[in-house]
Amino acid sequence: MHDSFMEAGHFIQTIERSQGLKVACLEEIAYGNGWIDKEELLSRSKTFIKMGYGQYLQKIAGF
């Protein structure tokens, strides 16, 4: 079972790196569906700004 989790993780990592997109990014989904606005998206990005995830959220917001 451990191998299955490792394989799944590597699969997701490969997709994210090759396509430049995050898989199941909840903030991106909420923003795309109009459940949060750009201001909220940017606010949430600040929590993760030192990580790639925060930078990704800012990219989604157009920064």
Side-chain angles (χ1 to χ4, degrees), residues 10-54:
H10 287 163
F11 178 73
I12 297 299
Q13 184 179 46
T14 299
I15 290 174
E16 289 184 347
R17 284 184 179 166
S18 67
Q19 296 183 3
L21 302 171
K22 297 288 184 193
V23 174
C25 173
L26 299 180
E27 289 85 359
E28 182 178 14
I29 293 167
Y31 182 64
N33 285 309
W35 300 331
I36 63 173
D37 60 13
K38 184 183 278 191
E39 182 178 319
E40 179 66 20
L41 182 63
L42 289 172
S43 174
R44 290 173 184 235
S45 76
K46 291 177 185 175
T47 304
F48 307 103
I49 197 61
K50 293 184 179 181
M51 302 178 340
Y53 190 70

